[in-house]
Amino acid sequence: MLTMNLEGLEMIAVLVVVVLFVKVLEQFGLLESGYDDSVEDELELSAVRHRPEGLEQLEAQTRFSRKELQILYRGFKNECPSGVVNEDTFKDIYSQFFPQGDASTYAHFLFNAFDTDHNGSVSFEDFVMGLSILLRGTVQEKLNWAFNLYDINKDGYITKEEMLDIMKAIYDMMGKCTYPVLKEETPRQHVEVFFQKMDKNKDGVVTIDEFIDCCQNDENIMRSMHLFENVL
Amino acid sequence: MATGVAAWLPFARAAAIGWMPVANCPMPIAPRDNSKKQDELIILNVSGRRFQTWRTTLDRYPDTLLGSSEKDFFYNEETKEYFFDRDPDAFRSILNFYRTGKLHYPRHECISAYDEELTFFGIIPEIIGDCCYEEYKDRKRENLERLQDDQEENMDLKMPNMNFRETMWRAFENPHTSTMALVFYYVTGFFIAVSVITNVVETVPCGATANQKDMPCGERYTVAFFCMDTACVMIFTVEYLLRLFAAPSRYRFMRSVMSIIDVVAILPYYIGLVMTNNEDVSGAFVTLRVFRVFRIFKFSRHSQGLRILGYTLKSCASELGFLLFSLTMAIIIFATVMFYAEKGSSSSKFTSIPASFWYTIVTMTTLGYGDMVPKTIAGKIFGSICSLSGVLVIALPVPVIVSNFSRIYHQNQRADKRRAQKKARLARIRIAKSGSANAFLQSKHNGLLNELLELTGTEEDEQKLTQKSISLLESQHHHLLHCLEKTTAHEFVDEQIYEQNCLETALQTYPSRSPSVSSHDSSTRTCCSRKRKRNVPLPNTSLPTTHSTHQGPLQELSAIHIQCGDPLSHTASRSNLNLKTDESSRINCKSGRITTAIISLPTPPALTPDGDGLHGPPQRRPPRPPSHPPPLSIQTTTSSAGANIVKVSAL
């Protein structure tokens, strides 16, 4: 019987039958075929939860009163019930304030500035520390924070490229419909102006001291630092 | 800006410090927040269930009721809370909207109730979140359809002024509107059936005659069948022309499916008439005869189920298309495979791929005629795979079509059920309404009764008088109606009295009084009452009130009432004869008094109070006047107390 000449089509036919047979066996669990990752998928979802430190600790660490912390936390937890903000949510929230343009790039930089421990998510402590500096900090601290924002790779120097990125991100938030019309080189020009003002020794980078010095001598900047003091 | 993220605005503003060093111009001044209120809890009391939330939560959406100052209208000073007299269950979703920024639609809520709540609180339904939006829209659509159905029903019943053409069109579309239409409907149905049966019987072999073999009946009794065919086609042609004439938009009618079917049904006959018995065209002639079978589709006007089926097939066009496409693909694949598999075997029936199509179709639909059978092993294997997959491929789109059909069918059934229930519902509602209208007349009657009784001073009557304690609301309402009556110097009356009066004013007045009149009265009364019995039944009134319209003001009648203080008089006894089954009836009026009181009447004859009474309180027969007057007709009404008050109507 097995000396039959299996011709082409017959071979294919037999192959098909064999494949079907194997599939049926798999269904019955008699043949495992390496689907191991199905179990692990389910564990991922439940890991992301975060509870902040106690109210007293936060009160000590920041300059907010108890009531203010309560209000802040309620708002925070309302938007992010899991207790942490990841970058996409952050971008979403921030973009809602700037409907005309694209705020995602700037939000990305902001996120990095808030995420001080660089773990990819902003918890309530990060959030409230950042806000404490911005709203209740000294001018020195605020300027420090701003420098940190501009310094994308956190090496202590602001290069022209970094500044250009920041500038483009800010101008992106404006969107298309501006007056006068935004041109391609506007961010670049703005960066030039900034560097002319800030870079005292003309070495192409701005250090923290140059930055703080220069800002403290500029009246406009000083005045605007106090602008948002009564936000909360 | 989506105010759901209003909590993050302080953060965004704080982060704006990052722009400051880069800016070249001075910044604008920040707005001052003068209301340095602490965030406070607001209590919202919705029908007793208390909800509490922060004020800032509600302030997120300032263009809704709760977020604006509109809620101050609902503030309760004593309890220091906002009280809303609404459904607390629906309020939950609304408050959740403020909290989370997403509006959800609870599935167990009725859609119109929910819509009303949303409107009340000033929230537009379009912001319902994606999770619930589809469900919401589906339910809304269903509701709309139901409302549209009702509207169409109403439209059918109205339209009093239609010209002949519109009447005819309506008769065609809804056979139940008139008898003629119904007759026409059945006649056409009968002729369609006859025509179809004729076509079928034509081909049956009729039995051999002596010298010929079996012939179909059509050829044997050619004339008879021809006459039958002619008759049917005549009817169909007439029907088609009538419809064409009556159609509101002829162009649209001619393009509609039913009209095309009509045309296709009758054309073969005419073409057959025109063509002679040429040999070369007789083939085409035979084809034309096939089209006669389309007459059976004319039945779809008569059967709603057929229409539903057609509509379903039309609406499932995409599923049907998919079914067809997948079947075609499978057929081609398997036919090719079978052809090549069977190529080797001798005397194989699979001569070409198209020839294998037949085998594939027969196998996939599990028919299995057995006229083509694979003989090689490969052929058998692929053949079995073919039949297994055929079952699957066909079984998949079919439930979609079935569920579509089921949905449309149930929708239609619901429409029918609603229509059937509607009549009963409307009747009951109408009765309830007329009950309230009669309540006013009732109370007036009671009021007059009270006055009368005060004058007569009979105590037993007072006891017998039903002391209906009217609520404050009702009494105010009645007072309002009374004021209206005074304003317009007209009164509200019963339907029956109104009809009576119309009737009386239409007839001539002449003085006549004779004893025979009363019997005449009774006869007329009975026949009138019989005739009028189908008018308004008053189930809620415990006693039928009659109140006649009088040309003069109300005071005249009151005068009459006051004067009718005497008990039964002799002349009244005759009217007693007319009163049936009312032992407690008394006519309190003297005839003479009545005459003198009604000076305004044109012809003051000597009167006998021909009362045709109201026959007992519990009966529902309306009081009937004599249709041939005595110029004065006196109607007596008996209250449940048994006191008779004679009211007079003027002619």
Side-chain angles (χ1 to χ4, degrees):
Chain A
M1 286 251 237
L2 296 172
T3 58
M4 248 193 297
N5 240 352
L6 286 183
E7 298 173 8
L9 257 182
E10 295 197 346
M11 195 136 62
I12 296 177
V14 171
L15 261 175
V16 166
V17 169
V18 167
V19 164
L20 286 176
F21 189 62
V22 166
K23 285 257 178 282
V24 165
L25 280 185
E26 266 176 21
Q27 277 302 104
F28 282 112
L30 295 176
L31 272 184
E32 294 295 340
S33 65
Y35 282 149
D36 286 329
D37 25 6
S38 55
V39 181
E40 291 163 356
D41 284 336
E42 300 175 17
L43 290 177
E44 263 185 45
L45 299 170
S46 44
V48 189
R49 292 255 182 283
H50 181 82
R51 203 179 295 152
E53 306 170 15
L55 205 49
E56 287 80 13
Q57 274 175 303
L58 280 179
E59 232 185 320
Q61 287 170 358
T62 65
R63 300 198 185 87
F64 288 119
S65 73
R66 210 180 164 85
K67 261 222 156 2
E68 289 166 338
L69 280 174
Q70 280 178 341
I71 295 178
L72 276 176
Y73 187 64
R74 284 206 294 265
F76 183 83
K77 186 116 173 126
N78 220 5
E79 273 312 306
C80 320
S82 59
V84 288
V85 191
N86 59 2
E87 187 162 342
D88 291 325
T89 322
F90 193 86
K91 282 187 181 168
D92 259 340
I93 294 173
Y94 201 71
S95 306
Q96 298 202 21
F97 294 107
F98 304 99
Q100 280 170 328
D102 175 26
S104 49
T105 333
Y106 190 69
H108 167 77
F109 296 132
L110 258 188
F111 187 80
N112 286 338
F114 268 90
D115 185 14
T116 41
D117 45 1
H118 304 290
N119 59 354
S121 61
V122 168
S123 64
F124 182 62
E125 288 95 340
D126 297 335
F127 178 69
V128 106
M129 305 270 213
L131 272 188
S132 166
I133 296 177
L134 286 174
L135 297 177
R136 304 285 157 89
T138 64
V139 174
Q140 183 92 357
E141 287 171 346
K142 290 183 190 173
L143 290 174
N144 225 336
W145 188 89
F147 186 86
N148 208 15
L149 174 68
Y150 301 146
D151 186 11
I152 297 178
N153 53 2
K154 315 283 179 239
D155 59 354
Y157 299 106
I158 304 181
T159 63
K160 274 202 181 159
E161 286 74 24
E162 288 174 340
M163 204 57 219
L164 187 58
D165 282 340
I166 300 270
M167 203 61 74
K168 276 203 203 143
I170 295 180
Y171 275 97
D172 274 344
M173 282 197 286
M174 294 290 297
K176 264 192 333 187
C177 315
T178 57
Y179 177 77
V181 183
L182 270 181
K183 300 205 232 358
E184 271 293 321
E185 58 274 4
T186 319
R188 194 172 295 275
Q189 285 171 353
H190 203 139
V191 171
E192 291 301 323
V193 168
F194 179 79
F195 262 78
Q196 268 176 14
K197 208 166 43 163
M198 301 279 169
D199 191 7
K200 287 290 182 309
N201 54 2
K202 304 292 173 212
D203 56 354
V205 292
V206 177
T207 63
I208 179 81
D209 302 309
E210 285 177 339
F211 184 70
I212 293 184
D213 270 335
C214 193
C215 289
Q216 278 175 334
N217 294 337
D218 187 331
E219 265 193 38
N220 272 340
I221 296 182
M222 280 295 109
R223 200 178 9 230
S224 56
M225 280 290 146
H226 299 281
L227 201 56
F228 293 110
E229 275 182 351
N230 51 356
V231 159
L232 201 57
Chain B
M1 190 187 78
T3 40
V5 292
W8 286 72
L9 185 57
F11 155 74
R13 295 179 73 200
I17 288 194
W19 307 335
M20 300 300 142
V22 193
N24 294 330
C25 336
M27 290 287 142
I29 307 179
R32 296 202 57 84
D33 184 15
N34 284 329
S35 62
K36 265 306 187 175
K37 271 197 304 210
Q38 293 283 17
D39 203 3
E40 47 165 345
L41 274 181
I42 296 188
I43 305 178
L44 300 163
N45 186 346
V46 183
S47 300
R49 207 188 294 183
R50 281 189 173 71
F51 297 88
Q52 293 183 332
T53 182
W54 297 108
R55 178 178 291 277
T56 47
T57 312
L58 293 182
D59 286 341
R60 282 187 198 157
Y61 297 97
D63 51 354
T64 59
L65 186 151
L66 290 174
S68 63
S69 58
E70 196 181 340
K71 63 177 183 285
D72 294 335
F73 285 102
F74 299 93
Y75 189 66
N76 187 344
E77 291 294 340
E78 299 130 31
T79 50
K80 297 249 179 289
E81 61 190 16
Y82 293 89
F83 182 75
F84 297 97
D85 205 4
R86 309 290 296 187
D87 183 12
D89 287 329
F91 189 74
R92 273 182 50 231
S93 344
I94 291 177
L95 197 53
N96 273 334
F97 166 62
Y98 286 91
R99 295 189 182 127
T100 62
K102 290 204 267 282
L103 183 61
H104 294 282
Y105 168 59
R107 275 164 177 71
H108 60 268
E109 281 283 339
C110 167
I111 184 81
S112 27
Y114 190 69
D115 261 346
E116 269 181 37
E117 294 294 315
L118 285 184
T119 320
F120 180 84
F121 285 103
I123 300 176
I124 49 172
E126 267 64 33
I127 49 180
I128 289 184
D130 283 341
C131 41
C132 301
Y133 193 62
E134 214 178 293
E135 169 86 17
Y136 174 78
K137 271 296 174 191
D138 280 345
R139 300 271 285 262
K140 195 124 191 232
R141 194 172 28 92
E142 274 178 33
N143 208 27
L144 259 180
E145 282 172 3
R146 187 191 344 244
L147 286 176
Q148 263 178 7
D149 272 350
D150 284 347
Q151 271 179 9
E152 281 173 11
E153 282 299 307
N154 285 341
M155 271 172 42
D156 278 348
L157 302 170
K158 291 176 195 158
M159 297 215 218
N161 314 320
M162 290 191 299
N163 57 14
F164 176 63
R165 190 170 149 190
E166 284 171 357
T167 330
M168 212 158 67
W169 179 249
R170 228 182 100 206
F172 279 137
E173 294 295 298
N174 305 340
H176 304 284
T177 47
S178 72
T179 332
M180 266 306 295
L182 210 54
V183 163
F184 184 75
Y185 176 77
Y186 283 126
V187 162
T188 45
F190 173 70
F191 272 100
I192 296 173
V194 160
S195 162
V196 169
I197 293 176
T198 313
N199 286 346
V200 167
V201 168
E202 244 182 8
T203 61
V204 172
C206 244
T209 59
N211 44 356
Q212 287 157 328
K213 2 190 272 285
D214 263 347
M215 272 180 19
C217 278
E219 291 178 24
R220 210 158 146 200
Y221 303 104
T222 323
V223 178
F225 279 106
F226 181 73
C227 290
M228 196 103 78
D229 208 18
T230 313
C232 294
V233 170
M234 282 298 120
I235 303 269
F236 295 153
T237 318
V238 163
E239 182 205 352
Y240 180 71
L241 290 175
L242 279 180
R243 273 183 209 262
L244 190 61
F245 166 67
S249 156
R250 297 215 171 101
Y251 177 60
R252 202 154 54 98
F253 171 72
M254 285 181 61
R255 281 194 314 173
S256 72
V257 175
M258 288 310 303
S259 111
I260 293 179
I261 290 178
D262 288 338
V263 167
V264 167
I266 61 180
L267 262 188
Y269 177 79
Y270 288 113
I271 296 183
L273 277 187
V274 167
M275 284 195 322
T276 58
N277 237 342
N278 262 336
E279 276 304 315
D280 32 332
V281 296
S282 77
F285 186 57
V286 168
T287 320
L288 274 181
R289 289 189 144 216
V290 170
F291 281 98
R292 289 189 309 176
V293 84
F294 277 93
R295 287 177 196 167
I296 204 172
F297 282 117
K298 287 167 71 76
F299 265 132
S300 65
R301 277 213 186 91
H302 298 250
S303 153
Q304 204 188 21
L306 261 183
R307 276 203 300 269
I308 294 177
L309 188 58
Y311 181 64
T312 310
L313 289 177
K314 197 164 56 144
S315 71
C316 299
S318 64
E319 280 85 23
L320 283 176
F322 167 69
L323 175 61
L324 223 53
F325 176 66
S326 58
L327 268 180
T328 312
M329 255 177 38
I331 287 173
I332 295 180
I333 292 175
F334 279 110
T336 313
V337 168
M338 290 308 294
F339 172 69
Y340 283 112
E342 286 289 304
K343 202 160 173 200
S345 83
S346 57
S347 74
S348 141
K349 292 243 172 96
F350 294 79
T351 49
S352 65
I353 294 188
S356 315
F357 280 168
W358 173 244
Y359 168 77
T360 318
I361 293 177
V362 166
T363 312
M364 281 185 92
T365 53
T366 69
L367 273 178
Y369 286 134
D371 51 352
M372 287 164 83
V373 174
K375 292 197 174 55
T376 60
I377 296 184
K380 287 189 178 156
I381 291 178
F382 285 115
S384 39
I385 297 176
C386 171
S387 71
L388 285 176
S389 63
V391 169
L392 276 177
V393 167
I394 292 185
L396 284 176
V398 166
V400 177
I401 299 176
V402 165
S403 79
N404 245 354
F405 181 77
S406 164
R407 180 175 60 84
I408 297 175
Y409 182 69
H410 282 307
Q411 207 175 317
N412 258 295
Q413 276 205 323
R414 268 205 313 260
D416 284 342
K417 225 195 308 184
R418 258 205 311 280
R419 240 169 278 152
Q421 290 169 347
K422 194 180 200 170
K423 288 201 178 124
R425 264 180 71 210
L426 286 181
R428 248 181 291 139
I429 292 174
R430 213 175 335 155
I431 287 170
K433 278 199 191 146
S434 69
S436 73
N438 284 321
F440 173 57
L441 302 170
Q442 171 78 336
S443 74
K444 269 215 298 198
H445 172 255
N446 277 346
L448 293 172
L449 255 183
N450 278 335
E451 289 176 30
L452 178 65
L453 288 171
E454 280 165 19
L455 294 169
T456 58
T458 39
E459 270 136 33
E460 46 180 295
D461 286 343
E462 273 183 46
Q463 286 167 7
K464 284 186 194 171
L465 184 65
T466 45
Q467 288 295 333
K468 264 174 46 169
S469 55
I470 307 184
S471 68
L472 179 63
L473 199 65
E474 256 189 81
S475 60
Q476 285 174 343
H477 184 219
H478 292 166
H479 175 253
L480 184 66
L481 294 174
H482 204 109
C483 291
L484 184 60
E485 281 184 338
K486 294 279 192 237
T487 314
T488 56
H490 285 75
E491 281 177 19
F492 293 108
V493 285
D494 238 349
E495 266 189 60
Q496 320 146 10
I497 314 283
Y498 178 67
E499 280 172 19
Q500 280 171 344
N501 297 332
C502 285
L503 207 59
E504 286 159 6
T505 50
L507 298 168
Q508 280 188 351
T509 71
Y510 58 93
S512 80
R513 64 236 174 307
S514 61
S516 63
V517 174
S518 49
S519 53
H520 185 57
D521 284 351
S522 61
S523 60
T524 55
R525 178 180 57 247
T526 47
C527 75
C528 286
S529 57
R530 234 185 302 124
K531 190 176 64 166
R532 303 249 184 110
K533 208 190 258 191
R534 58 182 162 81
N535 284 348
V536 179
L538 309 171
N540 284 345
T541 54
S542 58
L543 67 105
T545 58
T546 59
H547 194 99
S548 57
T549 49
H550 190 56
Q551 305 290 353
L554 189 55
Q555 274 75 19
E556 275 195 9
L557 283 176
S558 317
I560 297 170
H561 291 320
I562 292 172
Q563 287 185 7
C564 295
D566 297 349
L568 278 174
S569 61
H570 158 69
T571 48
S573 62
R574 191 163 351 117
S575 51
N576 267 342
L577 292 178
N578 303 333
L579 295 173
K580 293 184 194 172
T581 71
D582 196 15
E583 51 281 354
S584 57
S585 68
R586 289 179 354 225
I587 300 178
N588 291 348
C589 301
K590 263 204 180 149
S591 51
R593 295 278 181 84
I594 295 171
T595 321
T596 51
I598 307 170
I599 303 173
S600 56
L601 289 177
T603 59
L607 269 204
T608 55
D610 297 326
D612 35 331
L614 193 47
H615 310 289
Q619 292 179 3
R620 299 227 180 132
R621 275 169 55 199
R624 287 300 107 198
S627 48
H628 299 306
L632 273 184
S633 66
I634 305 173
Q635 303 146 16
T636 63
T637 73
T638 52
S639 65
S640 56
N644 258 348
I645 296 184
V646 177
K647 297 191 181 141
V648 185
S649 71
L651 287 178

